[in-house]
Short mmCIF file of all heavy atoms in Angstrom, two decimals:
data_model
loop_
_atom_site.label_atom_id
_atom_site.label_comp_id
_atom_site.label_asym_id
_atom_site.label_seq_id
_atom_site.Cartn_x
_atom_site.Cartn_y
_atom_site.Cartn_z
N SER A 930 -54.59 51.36 -192.66
CA SER A 930 -54.56 51.06 -194.08
C SER A 930 -55.75 50.39 -194.60
O SER A 930 -56.39 50.63 -195.55
CB SER A 930 -53.36 50.29 -194.42
OG SER A 930 -53.43 48.89 -193.86
N SER A 986 -93.11 91.81 -166.41
CA SER A 986 -93.59 91.38 -165.03
C SER A 986 -93.41 92.51 -164.11
O SER A 986 -94.20 92.53 -162.95
CB SER A 986 -92.65 90.31 -164.55
OG SER A 986 -91.22 90.75 -164.38
N LEU A 988 -94.05 95.71 -165.10
CA LEU A 988 -95.04 96.73 -165.51
C LEU A 988 -96.46 96.20 -165.41
O LEU A 988 -97.45 97.03 -164.98
CB LEU A 988 -94.77 97.14 -166.93
CG LEU A 988 -93.54 97.86 -167.31
CD1 LEU A 988 -93.41 98.11 -168.83
CD2 LEU A 988 -93.52 99.15 -166.50
N VAL A 1005 -91.43 82.68 -182.92
CA VAL A 1005 -91.75 81.60 -183.79
C VAL A 1005 -91.98 82.06 -185.27
O VAL A 1005 -91.46 81.52 -186.26
CB VAL A 1005 -92.88 80.85 -183.37
CG1 VAL A 1005 -93.26 79.82 -184.36
CG2 VAL A 1005 -92.57 80.12 -181.97
N VAL A 1017 -99.34 74.98 -186.89
CA VAL A 1017 -99.54 74.62 -185.45
C VAL A 1017 -100.82 74.93 -184.95
O VAL A 1017 -101.53 74.25 -184.22
CB VAL A 1017 -98.32 75.34 -184.55
CG1 VAL A 1017 -98.58 75.07 -183.13
CG2 VAL A 1017 -97.07 74.67 -185.10
N THR A 1133 -93.28 87.45 -155.60
CA THR A 1133 -92.26 87.55 -154.60
C THR A 1133 -91.42 86.21 -154.63
O THR A 1133 -92.06 85.15 -154.90
CB THR A 1133 -92.90 87.83 -153.10
OG1 THR A 1133 -93.90 86.58 -152.95
CG2 THR A 1133 -93.56 89.10 -153.09
N HIS A 1161 -63.63 66.59 -177.49
CA HIS A 1161 -62.27 66.75 -178.06
C HIS A 1161 -61.19 65.85 -177.67
O HIS A 1161 -60.10 65.79 -178.17
CB HIS A 1161 -61.76 68.20 -177.92
CG HIS A 1161 -62.51 69.10 -178.88
ND1 HIS A 1161 -63.82 69.63 -178.40
CD2 HIS A 1161 -62.42 69.65 -180.09
CE1 HIS A 1161 -64.33 70.54 -179.20
NE2 HIS A 1161 -63.55 70.54 -180.29
N ASP A 1212 -88.84 83.46 -164.65
CA ASP A 1212 -90.19 83.80 -164.88
C ASP A 1212 -91.29 83.31 -163.83
O ASP A 1212 -92.44 83.43 -164.01
CB ASP A 1212 -90.77 83.29 -166.26
CG ASP A 1212 -89.97 83.76 -167.50
OD1 ASP A 1212 -89.43 84.89 -167.41
OD2 ASP A 1212 -89.96 83.10 -168.47
N GLN A 1218 -88.08 69.07 -163.23
CA GLN A 1218 -86.73 69.02 -162.81
C GLN A 1218 -86.03 68.16 -163.76
O GLN A 1218 -86.47 67.36 -164.57
CB GLN A 1218 -86.61 68.38 -161.54
CG GLN A 1218 -87.21 69.22 -160.33
CD GLN A 1218 -86.53 70.73 -160.26
OE1 GLN A 1218 -85.36 70.83 -160.27
NE2 GLN A 1218 -87.40 71.70 -160.26
N ASP A 1240 -93.49 62.96 -166.54
CA ASP A 1240 -94.61 63.37 -165.74
C ASP A 1240 -95.86 63.43 -166.48
O ASP A 1240 -97.01 63.09 -165.98
CB ASP A 1240 -94.21 64.95 -165.26
CG ASP A 1240 -93.20 64.99 -164.30
OD1 ASP A 1240 -92.83 63.89 -163.64
OD2 ASP A 1240 -92.59 66.03 -164.07
N TYR A 1247 -99.88 56.33 -167.21
CA TYR A 1247 -99.28 55.27 -166.31
C TYR A 1247 -100.05 55.12 -165.01
O TYR A 1247 -100.48 54.08 -164.55
CB TYR A 1247 -98.02 55.44 -166.20
CG TYR A 1247 -97.15 54.37 -165.41
CD1 TYR A 1247 -97.16 52.97 -165.87
CD2 TYR A 1247 -96.36 54.73 -164.27
CE1 TYR A 1247 -96.56 52.00 -165.28
CE2 TYR A 1247 -95.79 53.79 -163.57
CZ TYR A 1247 -95.81 52.43 -164.01
OH TYR A 1247 -95.20 51.46 -163.23
N ALA A 1299 -91.06 41.27 -157.25
CA ALA A 1299 -91.58 41.86 -155.98
C ALA A 1299 -92.80 40.93 -155.40
O ALA A 1299 -92.87 40.54 -154.25
CB ALA A 1299 -91.93 43.24 -155.94
N PHE A 1369 -69.95 43.78 -158.73
CA PHE A 1369 -69.54 44.15 -157.34
C PHE A 1369 -69.27 45.72 -157.23
O PHE A 1369 -69.74 46.34 -156.31
CB PHE A 1369 -68.19 43.55 -157.02
CG PHE A 1369 -67.59 43.91 -155.61
CD1 PHE A 1369 -68.18 43.53 -154.42
CD2 PHE A 1369 -66.58 44.79 -155.50
CE1 PHE A 1369 -67.68 43.94 -153.19
CE2 PHE A 1369 -65.97 45.18 -154.44
CZ PHE A 1369 -66.59 44.68 -153.27
N LEU A 1377 -74.46 52.79 -151.64
CA LEU A 1377 -74.36 54.22 -151.32
C LEU A 1377 -75.66 54.97 -151.55
O LEU A 1377 -76.12 55.82 -150.75
CB LEU A 1377 -73.11 54.73 -152.12
CG LEU A 1377 -71.69 54.55 -151.60
CD1 LEU A 1377 -70.77 54.94 -152.50
CD2 LEU A 1377 -71.49 55.11 -150.25
#
Side-chain angles (χ1 to χ4, degrees):
S930 62
S986 63
L988 297 177
V1005 174
V1017 173
T1133 57
H1161 287 84
D1212 294 337
Q1218 297 302 307
D1240 292 345
Y1247 184 59
F1369 175 74
L1377 285 173

